[in-house]
């Protein structure tokens, strides 16, 4: 074609350039075309607020009725031991009221179908089964005084329920992956059987679930010794874990709702927070009802499950941040174990040397002691949330977070050991005059 002929043809149509705003609006991730969405922390909090409201109101309203039921059934805690702090018989079926509030809140969460709640998966059935199992275990102990072995069996059932749906089984992955590689790495072959690193991760995670449930439930049971202490510290811990859960969910693109536990973490934290705040007015000094083992074991279970779910994707560093929030019960349990080990008495032996007993003696009152321990728990919660936020934003490296956690828990263990040794030395000092006096008397008689 000559140049003259080319000039006779009409110009080819041109597409106008697309504005920059339009380019940025096109989803770069194909999953977003399938309906995935992102929300901010406040949007999640607003979307799930009804869960908190239901938990709070149900627990607040049903607690007086549960108290009447406990009195009618004579489920009453009588102050017949020197270590008990109350002066009058008090009903201790309050944990059942907390259970009703939590279950109502979880049921409410299933009805949320729009906003953030519509993009995230519901609470798995395994967690609900675990909640029922742990509540029945504590309730049976409150009513019938179960053998400790039966209590442990009930807690292991609740732990096994989590492993069935892999809730918490990846909690150890962040620590084990550098040693064993990716989950599908073949470690060794034994004839037709191949051992994968994923098997090591799963069984290690399953063992950790059992340890977390047993330790966490009994740790919360140990600090339930003053009016409002367990329920108040649980509210502080739930707030800290909720903050980390909201930061993890904020801005996260959710492709398959059932493949994420982001919403489950938020629901459980809000259900626990609302329930214990609804129970606290009845339980704060002077209390008219106690949690009992039913309540303390349930609270410990919910806190432990929330911590385990922080490691949903193998984020072990976030589990450490959750454990820092849980430091007060850990510290009290470590102190109790060392104290009884050094004294040579069984672990089930009760005494009046827990942290809350010491705080009450030093500060001269239940309210002062409880408020002081609230402050300690809040300090740990702020530290855990801060470290979790720094890890989520990748401002600090994971090894730094591990180092801070190890130093903190090492210091807790050292303090517990020092206090236990001081108690033993004091007991030995009190016993020495009686033992040294006997030889002197014998010598005098013989002379």
């Amino acid at each position: 074609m000559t140049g003259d002929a080319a000039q006779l043809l009409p110009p080819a149509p041109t597409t106008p350039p697309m504005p920059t705003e339009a380019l940025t609006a096109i989803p770069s991730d194909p999953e977003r075309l399938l309906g995935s969405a992102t929300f901010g922390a406040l949007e999640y909090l607003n979307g799930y607020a009804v869960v908190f409201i239901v938990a709070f109101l149900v627990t607040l309203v049903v607690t007086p009725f549960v108290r009447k039921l406990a009195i009618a059934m004579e489920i009453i805690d009588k102050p017949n031991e020197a270590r008990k702090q109350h002066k009058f018989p008090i009903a201790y079926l309050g944990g059942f009221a907390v259970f009703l509030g939590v279950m109502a809140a979880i049921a409410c969460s299933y009805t949320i179908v729009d906003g953030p709640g519509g993009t995230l998966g519901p609470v798995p059935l395994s967690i609900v089964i675990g909640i029922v199992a742990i509540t029945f275990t504590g309730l049976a102990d409150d009513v019938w005084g179960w053998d400790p072995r039966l209590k442990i069996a009930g807690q292991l059932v609740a732990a096994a329920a989590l492993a069935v749906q892999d809730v918490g089984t990846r909690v150890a992955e962040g620590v084990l992956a550098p040693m064993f590689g990716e989950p599908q790495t073949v470690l060794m072959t034994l004839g037709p059987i191949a051992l994968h690193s994923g098997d090591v991760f799963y069984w290690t995670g399953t063992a950790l679930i059992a340890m977390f449930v047993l330790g966490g439930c009994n740790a919360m049971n140990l600090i339930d010794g003053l009016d409002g202490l367990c329920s108040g510290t649980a509210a502080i811990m739930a707030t800290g874990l909720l903050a980390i859960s909201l930061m993890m969910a904020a801005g996260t693109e959710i492709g398959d709702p059932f493949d994420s536990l982001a919403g489950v973490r938020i629901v459980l934290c809000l259900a626990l927070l609302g329930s214990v705040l609804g129970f606290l007015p009845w339980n704060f000094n002077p209390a008219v009802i106690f949690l009992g083992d039913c309540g303390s074991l349930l609270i410990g279970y919910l806190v432990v499950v929330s911590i385990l779910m922080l490691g949903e994707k193998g984020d072990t560093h976030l589990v450490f941040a959750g454990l820092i929030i849980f430091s007060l019960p850990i510290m009290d349990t470590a102190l109790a174990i060392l104290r009884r080990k050094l004294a040579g008495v069984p672990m089930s032996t009760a005494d009046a040397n827990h942290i809350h007993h010491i705080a009450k003696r030093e500060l001269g009152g239940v309210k002062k002691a409880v408020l002081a321990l609230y402050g300690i728990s809040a300090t740990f919660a702020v530290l855990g949330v801060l470290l979790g936020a720094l890890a989520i934003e990748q401002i600090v490296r994971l090894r730094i977070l591990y180092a801070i956690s190890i130093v903190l828990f090492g210091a807790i263990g050292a303090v517990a050991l020092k206090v236990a040794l001081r108690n033993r030395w004091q007991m030995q000092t009190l016993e020495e005059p009686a033992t040294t006096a006997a030889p002197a008397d014998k010598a005098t008689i013989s002379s």
Side-chain angles (χ1 to χ4, degrees):
M1 182 182 296
T2 62
D4 294 338
Q7 291 177 359
L8 296 175
L9 295 176
T14 58
T15 303
M18 186 176 293
T20 305
E21 295 79 7
L23 289 173
T24 57
I26 295 178
S28 59
D29 188 349
E31 285 189 351
R32 299 194 65 176
L33 295 173
L34 300 177
S36 64
T38 61
F39 297 93
L42 291 180
E43 290 178 288
Y44 279 112
L45 190 60
N46 182 67
Y48 284 107
V50 64
V51 174
F52 169 83
I53 295 171
V54 169
F56 176 79
L57 291 178
V58 169
T59 309
L60 184 69
V61 171
V62 304
T63 298
F65 297 99
V66 171
R67 177 177 177 271
K68 289 184 179 181
L69 176 64
I71 294 173
M73 298 176 62
E74 296 187 356
I75 306 175
I76 297 172
D77 192 3
K78 299 178 181 179
N80 55 357
E81 300 178 27
R83 65 187 181 89
K84 295 190 176 182
Q85 306 299 311
H86 57 285
K87 298 179 180 179
F88 305 100
I90 296 178
Y92 61 95
L93 204 60
F96 189 67
V98 174
F99 167 74
L100 294 176
V102 169
M103 293 302 290
I106 292 176
C108 174
S109 71
Y110 290 136
T111 65
I112 301 176
V113 294
D114 58 350
T119 63
L120 298 177
V123 177
L125 180 61
S126 62
I127 294 180
V128 176
I129 293 174
I131 291 173
V132 173
I134 204 72
T135 303
F136 175 77
T137 300
L139 188 62
D141 186 58
D142 288 337
V143 177
W144 300 302
W146 261 16
D147 184 275
R149 289 171 293 185
L150 290 176
K151 289 176 63 178
I152 293 175
Q155 294 170 50
L156 289 177
V157 169
L162 299 177
V164 169
Q165 286 190 284
D166 291 337
V167 177
T169 54
R170 298 185 62 184
V171 70
E173 190 171 311
V175 174
L176 297 179
M179 295 184 286
F180 298 104
E182 295 300 319
Q184 297 305 317
T185 303
V186 178
L187 298 180
M188 65 176 67
T189 55
L190 302 173
I193 302 175
L195 177 64
H196 295 81
S197 58
D199 300 326
V200 177
F201 296 162
Y202 176 81
W203 290 111
T204 303
T206 301
L208 284 176
I209 290 174
M211 293 172 57
F212 271 54
V213 170
L214 288 174
C217 291
N218 290 286
M220 290 303 295
N221 191 24
L222 287 178
I223 70 166
D224 186 23
L226 295 179
D227 296 350
L229 178 58
C230 183
S231 50
T233 54
I236 295 171
M237 294 173 196
T239 302
L241 293 170
L242 175 64
I244 295 179
S245 299
L246 289 171
M247 287 187 290
M248 292 176 65
T252 302
E253 294 182 3
I254 306 299
D256 183 1
F258 292 89
D259 191 39
S260 172
L261 294 176
V264 182
R265 287 191 295 264
I266 297 173
V267 168
L268 288 187
C269 289
L270 286 174
L272 175 59
L273 179 60
S275 297
V276 293
L277 287 181
F279 180 73
L280 191 57
W282 307 103
N283 183 234
F284 196 76
N285 185 260
V288 297
I289 187 171
F290 290 158
L291 282 168
D293 281 7
C294 175
S296 59
L297 294 182
L298 173 61
I299 289 173
Y301 184 76
L302 290 171
V303 172
V304 163
V305 172
S306 300
I307 293 174
L308 287 171
M309 286 193 299
L310 295 178
E312 169 198 5
K313 300 297 183 182
D315 299 323
T316 309
H317 53 287
L318 295 178
V319 176
F320 273 99
L323 289 175
I324 291 173
I325 295 174
F326 196 63
S327 287
L328 181 61
I330 292 175
M331 183 166 55
D332 186 48
T333 303
L335 174 60
I337 292 174
L338 288 171
R339 185 173 63 248
R340 292 164 188 174
K341 187 69 175 178
L342 292 174
V345 299
M347 291 298 168
S348 58
T349 303
D351 59 31
N353 288 312
H354 288 280
I355 290 177
H356 50 272
H357 294 134
I358 297 172
K360 179 178 178 292
R361 288 195 295 266
E362 294 295 329
L363 299 176
V366 173
K367 287 182 180 179
K368 291 181 180 179
V370 169
L371 292 176
L373 292 173
Y374 283 176
I376 294 174
S377 184
T379 301
F380 283 129
V382 171
L383 178 59
V385 171
L386 176 60
L387 292 176
L390 293 176
I392 292 171
E393 298 297 330
Q394 298 182 354
I395 297 175
V396 299
R397 294 185 178 273
L398 302 186
R399 291 183 181 179
I400 297 176
L401 183 58
Y402 291 146
I404 294 173
S405 303
I406 291 171
V407 169
L408 177 61
F409 291 116
I412 290 174
V415 170
L417 178 60
K418 184 178 74 171
V419 173
L421 288 173
R422 285 186 60 188
N423 289 338
R424 188 175 72 169
W425 293 335
Q426 290 174 355
M427 293 297 296
Q428 290 175 347
T429 302
L430 294 175
E431 293 174 357
E432 282 179 0
T435 57
T436 55
D441 293 342
K442 183 177 180 181
T444 304
I445 293 173
S446 62
S447 61

